Amino acid sequence: MRAIIVHGGAGDAKKAEEISVRVEVVKESATEGYSLLKNSSSAIDAVVHAVKILEDHPLFDAGRGSYLNEEGEVEMDAGIMEGDTLFIGAVAGIKRVKNPVELAKLVMEKSPHNFLIGEGAEEFGKKYGIEFAPFDYFLTERLIQIWKGQYGDTVGAVALDDTGHIAAAVSTGGTQNKHRGRVGDSPLVGSGFYANDIYGAVSTGIGEDIMKVVMSFRIMLYYPSISLDESVKKVIEDLAKANGKAGIIALDRNGNISFGYNTKGIFKAFIKDGMTEVEGGY
Ligand code: ASP
């Protein structure tokens, strides 16, 4: 069974004209990730590919289009996890890497560590020829005009490959006008993302809330005693009890796909074996 679900953020999307474009792009990301899975690529390669499409698109808060911190700088975070090995790679506070998810993957594969930050992370990427981009690349017209009060355009993907392995990846510019040096949930294993050999999940929303309930790992409190859908529902209830607002996408080793949120919506798209076309929406 091959399956993939991607998200393009949970939040209060206010610009109607952007909603349809963003739905189309998350659908494209899921479709492209799925075609890799169909060609026997690993779940890791599928989630990286899916996340890169969203990082490259200026309407998402990841890679190009990342929200600026209060000093007007870009500081991006990303994380990745391979379910069967429990290998982890994460980066935080990086400023010039074109695709932060690629750097997270490099940390997972080439470093003895799990998590690198700032200049040290970028130096590590340089050694392996990671692609950098100038500040102008990240700064889009949308950011210059961005409206207040919007959150949740982070991106993420979870995939199940032919061999039964699951992977999860996340990438974000963090929250708007954040304090310099602020790191949210996204690169924190367990909070922003988690994968083992039975399920994988990625969360999105207010990072400070997501951390309180260790949201992506929290599914393990319930699953597999109850279904994935019911587990996701419980996680959202726990989040709400902690006064949090966020969303989550998940899939399990049987190809069950689920998502939940208590924000206005979540941009998501998914496809798996047996489906004739990708499903998506906000
Ligand atoms: N969770 C991310 C953060 O707090 C933001 C988001 O998901 O949009 O950095």
Side-chain angles (χ1 to χ4, degrees):
M1 167 65 83
R2 294 152 300 190
I4 185 164
I5 178 163
V6 310
H7 82 75
D12 189 2
K14 291 196 179 79
K15 289 200 168 175
E17 68 279 12
E18 285 189 354
I19 293 178
S20 56
V21 181
R22 287 169 64 183
V23 168
E24 278 321 302
V25 182
V26 289
K27 281 176 156 180
E28 181 198 329
S29 158
T31 306
E32 294 260 330
Y34 183 62
S35 60
L36 285 195
L37 294 171
K38 278 204 297 192
N39 288 323
S40 302
S41 289
S42 67
I44 282 286
D45 287 345
V47 291
V48 168
H49 188 65
V51 165
K52 277 176 73 175
I53 289 172
L54 300 169
E55 286 179 336
D56 289 346
H57 198 284
L59 286 189
F60 298 91
D61 171 30
R64 180 156 195 246
S66 285
Y67 284 161
L68 304 178
N69 68 17
E70 62 183 10
E71 313 279 331
E73 300 164 327
V74 169
E75 287 185 316
M76 300 171 288
D77 311 326
I80 191 162
M81 187 162 186
E82 187 172 69
D84 60 318
T85 58
L86 302 179
F87 289 162
I88 296 161
V91 292
I94 54 170
K95 296 185 172 174
R96 294 289 175 271
V97 171
K98 183 170 174 280
N99 291 106
V101 72
E102 288 270 24
L103 186 54
K105 182 170 177 260
L106 261 185
V107 170
M108 179 177 80
E109 290 176 344
K110 308 274 190 218
S111 154
H113 311 298
N114 286 358
F115 198 164
L116 295 178
I117 62 162
E119 281 172 24
E122 295 197 327
E123 268 162 29
F124 181 78
K126 227 174 252 170
K127 267 204 319 222
Y128 289 95
I130 202 105
E131 193 177 348
F132 283 76
F135 179 62
D136 287 0
Y137 168 81
F138 299 99
L139 186 70
T140 63
E141 188 56 32
R142 175 177 187 256
L143 285 177
I144 296 163
Q145 301 174 353
I146 207 146
W147 59 98
K148 286 267 178 199
Q150 157 114 6
Y151 57 87
D153 310 301
T154 288
V155 307
V158 193
L160 168 70
D161 66 28
D162 245 354
T163 62
H165 294 154
I166 297 168
V170 57
S171 182
T172 187
T175 47
Q176 201 182 332
N177 295 328
K178 63 188 179 180
H179 196 283
R180 185 160 187 240
R182 178 264 187 192
V183 178
D185 62 298
S186 300
L188 301 184
V189 61
S191 288
F193 64 102
Y194 192 74
N196 56 22
D197 56 0
I198 58 171
Y199 88 103
V202 174
S203 299
T204 177
I206 306 279
E208 286 71 9
D209 294 344
I210 292 170
M211 286 181 213
K212 288 180 189 159
V213 295
V214 199
M215 194 156 159
S216 297
F217 184 75
R218 195 166 198 90
I219 288 182
M220 281 302 283
L221 295 188
Y222 306 109
Y223 185 77
S225 305
I226 56 175
S227 74
L228 189 65
D229 270 342
E230 284 166 338
S231 304
V232 163
K233 227 175 122 203
K234 289 259 185 215
V235 167
I236 297 293
E237 281 167 18
D238 293 346
L239 173 80
K241 275 184 216 149
N243 294 320
K245 281 217 175 272
I248 188 166
I249 56 169
L251 60 70
D252 69 14
R253 64 179 156 202
N254 301 316
N256 293 307
I257 286 175
S258 191
F259 59 86
Y261 54 93
N262 64 353
T263 49
K264 189 171 162 202
I266 183 169
F267 289 95
K268 75 278 176 190
F270 53 91
I271 180 160
K272 63 178 178 175
D273 291 352
M275 284 172 64
T276 49
E277 59 177 310
V278 66
E279 266 186 45
Y282 168 64

